[in-house]
Amino acid sequence: MQLSAAKIDPAEDVLEVGGQKLATQLLCADNNQRIEILDLRGAVASDLHGAFEEWYEQSKRTKCLEYLYSVSIIAQPAQGCISRAQHFDLIERIEKKLGLCKRPRTVVLHAHYDGREHWHVVWSRINVGKGEAVNFSFDRKKLRKVAQEFARDHGIIVPLSMRSRFHD
Protein backbone atom coordinates (compact mmCIF):
# COMPACT_ATOMS: atom_id res chain seq x y z
CA MET A 1 0.00 0.00 0.00
CA GLN A 2 1.35 3.43 -0.84
CA LEU A 3 0.95 6.88 0.60
CA SER A 4 2.72 9.65 -1.26
CA ALA A 5 4.88 10.55 1.72
CA ALA A 6 4.80 7.09 3.28
CA LYS A 7 4.52 3.53 2.10
CA ILE A 8 2.94 0.95 4.35
CA ASP A 9 3.50 -2.70 3.44
CA PRO A 10 2.36 -5.57 5.64
CA ALA A 11 5.18 -8.11 5.81
CA GLU A 12 3.79 -11.35 4.43
CA ASP A 13 6.80 -13.49 5.18
CA VAL A 14 6.92 -13.12 8.98
CA LEU A 15 5.97 -16.77 9.47
CA GLU A 16 8.65 -17.94 7.02
CA VAL A 17 11.32 -15.67 8.49
CA GLY A 18 10.49 -16.39 12.13
CA GLY A 19 10.69 -13.95 14.99
CA GLN A 20 14.40 -14.41 15.70
CA LYS A 21 15.42 -13.93 12.08
CA LEU A 22 13.11 -10.92 11.79
CA ALA A 23 14.70 -9.37 14.91
CA THR A 24 18.16 -9.91 13.40
CA GLN A 25 17.08 -8.32 10.12
CA LEU A 26 15.59 -5.31 11.91
CA LEU A 27 18.82 -4.78 13.84
CA CYS A 28 21.17 -5.28 10.89
CA ALA A 29 22.66 -1.95 9.85
CA ASP A 30 24.29 -1.85 6.46
CA ASN A 31 26.85 0.77 5.49
CA ASN A 32 24.14 3.32 4.81
CA GLN A 33 22.10 3.43 8.00
CA ARG A 34 21.86 3.61 11.74
CA ILE A 35 19.20 1.78 13.71
CA GLU A 36 17.19 3.06 16.64
CA ILE A 37 14.58 1.18 18.67
CA LEU A 38 12.05 3.94 19.34
CA ASP A 39 9.56 1.88 21.31
CA LEU A 40 9.34 -1.58 22.82
CA ARG A 41 6.27 -2.33 24.90
CA GLY A 42 4.64 -5.44 26.25
CA ALA A 43 7.79 -7.44 26.92
CA VAL A 44 9.95 -8.07 29.95
CA ALA A 45 13.00 -8.23 27.69
CA SER A 46 14.58 -4.96 26.65
CA ASP A 47 15.85 -6.28 23.30
CA LEU A 48 14.08 -7.43 20.13
CA HIS A 49 15.30 -11.03 20.23
CA GLY A 50 14.10 -11.42 23.80
CA ALA A 51 10.77 -9.69 23.14
CA PHE A 52 10.04 -11.75 20.03
CA GLU A 53 10.90 -14.93 21.95
CA GLU A 54 8.46 -13.94 24.73
CA TRP A 55 5.74 -13.26 22.17
CA TYR A 56 6.44 -16.59 20.48
CA GLU A 57 6.10 -18.41 23.81
CA GLN A 58 2.76 -16.66 24.39
CA SER A 59 1.57 -17.72 20.94
CA LYS A 60 2.21 -21.38 21.73
CA ARG A 61 -0.81 -21.26 24.06
CA THR A 62 -2.99 -20.50 21.05
CA LYS A 63 -3.52 -22.00 17.61
CA CYS A 64 -1.99 -18.92 15.99
CA LEU A 65 0.98 -19.61 13.71
CA GLU A 66 1.43 -16.04 12.46
CA TYR A 67 1.89 -14.41 15.85
CA LEU A 68 3.65 -11.28 14.55
CA TYR A 69 2.24 -8.58 12.30
CA SER A 70 4.66 -6.18 10.65
CA VAL A 71 4.20 -2.90 8.79
CA SER A 72 6.91 -0.85 7.09
CA ILE A 73 6.57 2.90 6.64
CA ILE A 74 8.84 4.31 3.97
CA ALA A 75 8.91 8.06 3.39
CA GLN A 76 9.16 9.24 -0.21
CA PRO A 77 11.82 12.01 -0.19
CA ALA A 78 10.44 13.77 -3.27
CA GLN A 79 7.17 14.45 -1.48
CA GLY A 80 8.52 15.69 1.82
CA CYS A 81 9.37 14.22 5.19
CA ILE A 82 7.06 12.93 7.84
CA SER A 83 7.91 13.98 11.40
CA ARG A 84 8.28 11.53 14.27
CA ALA A 85 5.01 12.79 15.73
CA GLN A 86 3.29 12.09 12.40
CA HIS A 87 4.82 8.61 12.24
CA PHE A 88 3.46 7.81 15.69
CA ASP A 89 0.08 9.30 14.69
CA LEU A 90 0.05 6.95 11.70
CA ILE A 91 1.03 3.98 13.89
CA GLU A 92 -1.78 4.76 16.36
CA ARG A 93 -4.28 4.99 13.50
CA ILE A 94 -3.13 1.60 12.19
CA GLU A 95 -3.46 0.09 15.66
CA LYS A 96 -6.98 1.44 16.08
CA LYS A 97 -8.14 0.30 12.64
CA LEU A 98 -6.70 -3.22 12.99
CA GLY A 99 -7.58 -3.77 16.66
CA LEU A 100 -3.94 -3.79 17.77
CA CYS A 101 -4.24 -1.07 20.44
CA LYS A 102 -2.33 -1.97 23.61
CA ARG A 103 -0.85 -5.06 21.93
CA PRO A 104 2.85 -5.63 22.53
CA ARG A 105 4.87 -3.87 19.83
CA THR A 106 8.20 -2.48 18.77
CA VAL A 107 8.98 0.49 16.56
CA VAL A 108 12.36 0.44 14.81
CA LEU A 109 13.80 3.35 12.82
CA HIS A 110 16.30 2.82 10.03
CA ALA A 111 17.93 6.18 9.26
CA HIS A 112 20.11 6.32 6.17
CA TYR A 113 23.08 8.65 6.19
CA ASP A 114 21.69 10.50 3.16
CA GLY A 115 18.67 11.60 5.24
CA ARG A 116 16.14 8.98 4.15
CA GLU A 117 14.27 7.05 6.85
CA HIS A 118 12.02 4.06 7.04
CA TRP A 119 10.23 2.64 10.03
CA HIS A 120 9.25 -0.89 10.97
CA VAL A 121 6.45 -1.63 13.41
CA VAL A 122 5.97 -5.19 14.64
CA TRP A 123 3.07 -6.22 16.87
CA SER A 124 2.33 -9.42 18.70
CA ARG A 125 -1.14 -10.53 17.63
CA ILE A 126 -1.61 -12.55 20.81
CA ASN A 127 -4.11 -11.43 23.42
CA VAL A 128 -2.71 -13.29 26.42
CA GLY A 129 -5.76 -12.60 28.59
CA LYS A 130 -8.11 -14.22 26.09
CA GLY A 131 -5.63 -16.83 24.86
CA GLU A 132 -6.25 -15.97 21.22
CA ALA A 133 -4.83 -13.95 18.38
CA VAL A 134 -6.21 -10.60 17.30
CA ASN A 135 -8.09 -11.43 14.13
CA PHE A 136 -8.33 -8.84 11.40
CA SER A 137 -9.57 -9.45 7.92
CA PHE A 138 -9.13 -7.15 4.94
CA ASP A 139 -6.03 -5.64 6.54
CA ARG A 140 -4.70 -4.25 3.25
CA LYS A 141 -7.97 -2.45 2.56
CA LYS A 142 -7.96 -1.07 6.11
CA LEU A 143 -4.34 0.08 5.77
CA ARG A 144 -5.22 1.80 2.51
CA LYS A 145 -8.06 3.67 4.23
CA VAL A 146 -5.77 4.68 7.12
CA ALA A 147 -3.18 5.97 4.63
CA GLN A 148 -5.79 7.99 2.74
CA GLU A 149 -7.16 9.55 5.94
CA PHE A 150 -3.65 10.25 7.25
CA ALA A 151 -2.68 11.95 3.97
CA ARG A 152 -5.85 14.05 3.98
CA ASP A 153 -5.36 15.13 7.61
CA HIS A 154 -1.69 16.05 7.05
CA GLY A 155 -2.04 17.69 3.64
CA ILE A 156 -0.10 14.99 1.81
CA ILE A 157 -1.01 14.44 -1.83
CA VAL A 158 -1.44 10.77 -2.56
CA PRO A 159 -0.73 9.24 -5.97
CA LEU A 160 -3.68 8.38 -8.20
CA SER A 161 -3.32 4.70 -7.33
CA MET A 162 -4.03 5.53 -3.67
CA ARG A 163 -7.01 7.82 -4.14
CA SER A 164 -10.46 6.62 -3.18
CA ARG A 165 -12.30 4.65 -5.77
CA PHE A 166 -16.04 4.25 -6.08
CA HIS A 167 -15.88 0.68 -4.71
CA ASP A 168 -13.56 1.45 -1.74
Side-chain angles (χ1 to χ4, degrees):
M1 178 164 124
Q2 265 189 331
L3 175 68
S4 32
K7 180 177 163 188
I8 307 168
D9 290 320
E12 296 176 340
D13 61 349
V14 170
L15 180 60
E16 295 170 21
V17 174
Q20 294 304 302
K21 191 166 182 184
L22 178 60
T24 299
Q25 289 175 348
L26 290 174
L27 295 171
C28 182
D30 62 22
N31 294 332
N32 299 323
Q33 62 186 335
R34 71 177 164 78
I35 295 173
E36 208 177 316
I37 298 175
L38 300 176
D39 185 36
L40 178 57
R41 73 173 187 214
V44 175
S46 59
D47 66 294
L48 292 187
H49 288 93
F52 287 8
E53 182 63 29
E54 284 179 43
W55 300 344
Y56 173 69
E57 290 300 320
Q58 292 169 352
S59 78
K60 288 165 60 173
R61 296 182 214 134
T62 72
K63 295 178 182 178
C64 180
L65 297 176
E66 298 176 336
Y67 66 100
L68 297 177
Y69 186 76
S70 176
V71 170
S72 298
I73 304 169
I74 305 170
Q76 304 298 319
Q79 297 172 324
C81 295
I82 297 176
S83 70
R84 283 193 181 200
Q86 288 173 316
H87 274 95
F88 278 103
D89 175 39
L90 181 56
I91 292 165
E92 288 173 14
R93 291 173 187 232
I94 292 168
E95 286 181 335
K96 185 175 180 183
K97 193 71 157 179
L98 295 180
L100 293 167
C101 293
K102 300 183 181 178
R103 298 278 34 95
R105 78 160 189 223
T106 189
V107 179
V108 179
L109 165 69
H110 287 185
H112 298 264
Y113 293 120
D114 63 4
R116 294 175 296 125
E117 291 184 347
H118 64 276
W119 293 44
H120 300 276
V121 187
V122 181
W123 289 270
S124 168
R125 293 182 53 219
I126 306 304
N127 182 328
V128 177
K130 292 183 177 181
E132 61 188 25
V134 173
N135 187 19
F136 42 81
S137 53
F138 305 107
D139 59 312
R140 288 182 183 263
K141 188 173 186 175
K142 291 175 182 177
L143 287 174
R144 178 187 188 92
K145 184 72 172 166
V146 167
Q148 291 168 339
E149 292 169 358
F150 175 82
R152 180 199 62 220
D153 294 349
H154 291 283
I156 299 168
I157 298 171
V158 296
L160 288 174
S161 63
M162 280 295 300
R163 295 188 186 156
S164 290
R165 295 182 194 138
F166 180 73
H167 56 80
D168 275 354

